Every structure is written in C-alpha cells, then in structure tokens.
Amino acid sequence: MSSYQVVREGAKQVIKLLEKFPEERFKYLVSFKATQLERFSRIAGLPISQKSSSEIANNKASIDEIKDIVNRTSGPLGLQKEMLKKMQAAIPHDQFSEASMKDQINALSNLVGNKYKNYYEVGNKLYNPAGNPEYYQRIIDDIQGKKKENILAGLRTVFMGR
C-alpha cells in the first residue's frame, strides 16, 4: 500500500473518531469538530458534510473559498503583490505522512476515550472543597440555566462566601 493510501485510510479513521467526539457545550464561531471533519474529509477524498444552519445563515466564506480567491487572482481586493505572496505562504497545506497520521489517530483516540482524565484522576476534595462544597455545582447550574440567583443571593454569596 502506498503512503498516499495509508494517509487516506488514516484520515477515514480520524473521521470515525471525530464523529464520536462530543459536541461543544458552548457554541463558538468555529466548531473544532466541524473544522476537523471538513479538513480530514478533504484528505480522505470523501464529500464534505452539509454546512450547519448557522453557517448558511451567516454566509461566511469558507477557507476553501478564500484559498480559491487568493490563488486564482493576481491581486484580489486591491492587495499589493507582496501582501498576496505573504498570504499565499501563510495558507496552511495539509501534508501528512504515515507517522503523523498515526499520531493524529492516537491523539484523537486518547481524547475520545478520556485517557488522561482517567489517568490523572482527581479526588473528591477538588470537586467538593471543604470551604464551599457546592461551589462548582452552582456554577454548572448557572451555566445550564437550571438555577438562577437573584441579586440578593448573589451579594450574599460574594460577601459571605457561600
């Protein structure tokens, strides 16, 4: 098997691992999972999945579209040729070897399997500190919108520590 085929097969394995990767709890402008799926789909030669509804609504230019504009025109958007050359040099080029693809697969499988969370297990003392045992649970409840503190309860927490 040639190295190109090994890299393509490795990219397919990475895609399978990425599909197991959990969704982000907080929505950002760019999703790690979505960008990596797009990146490795291109390497594996698979069709790139449909854009999410938020991307379609925002009509943002993708990296491929920006690369296409930079590569096919001599001076897009009135850029000087020096700046255009700097931009072309800064465009990332995905060049994976067999070893680097194995490293990608290994790293992603460790993340999906929670290897380091299980290896470096922290005790209950960190999750429930003696001085304020419900500290982290209050934060999580507030983030998820389960339990909101009013202004008086918030001031009491700030001044009293509980």
Side-chain angles (χ1 to χ4, degrees), residues 3-149:
S3 68
Y4 176 71
Q5 291 172 332
V6 171
V7 169
R8 284 187 72 161
E9 291 301 316
K12 289 177 184 177
Q13 289 178 348
V14 168
I15 290 171
K16 287 179 185 175
L17 287 170
L18 282 169
E19 288 170 350
K20 295 178 187 176
F21 206 75
E23 294 293 328
E24 283 102 2
R25 292 174 69 180
F26 302 104
K27 301 299 178 194
Y28 299 103
L29 295 176
V30 179
S31 166
F32 170 77
K33 183 177 178 179
T35 56
Q36 295 305 307
L37 278 171
E38 182 180 330
R39 175 184 182 198
F40 285 103
S41 294
R42 192 177 312 114
I43 293 168
L46 300 174
I48 297 173
S49 63
Q50 296 294 324
K51 292 182 178 179
S52 67
S53 59
S54 62
E55 286 183 84
I56 293 170
N58 292 337
N59 281 336
K60 294 180 182 175
S62 69
I63 292 177
D64 289 333
E65 292 169 342
I66 293 170
K67 285 181 185 178
D68 183 49
I69 290 170
V70 169
N71 289 331
R72 71 182 158 88
T73 58
S74 60
L77 307 174
L79 294 175
Q80 297 176 354
K81 290 189 178 193
E82 299 167 4
M83 181 59 79
L84 183 62
K85 287 179 184 177
K86 287 180 184 177
M87 285 177 61
Q88 286 174 336
I91 292 175
H93 300 286
D94 290 327
Q95 296 178 355
F96 289 102
S97 65
E98 294 176 39
S100 65
M101 189 57 70
K102 286 179 184 176
D103 290 342
Q104 292 282 332
I105 293 168
N106 187 26
L108 194 56
S109 62
N110 287 341
L111 284 175
V112 170
N114 285 331
K115 176 184 176 183
Y116 299 108
K117 179 183 178 190
N118 297 333
Y119 187 76
Y120 298 106
E121 187 65 36
V122 295
N124 200 27
K125 282 185 175 181
L126 187 64
Y127 290 125
N128 299 319
N132 194 353
E134 295 171 9
Y135 177 74
Y136 294 112
Q137 189 59 43
R138 272 191 26 253
I139 292 174
I140 290 172
D141 288 344
D142 194 39
I143 289 172
Q144 293 175 346
K146 290 181 182 176
K147 186 177 175 185
K148 295 283 184 181
E149 286 187 353

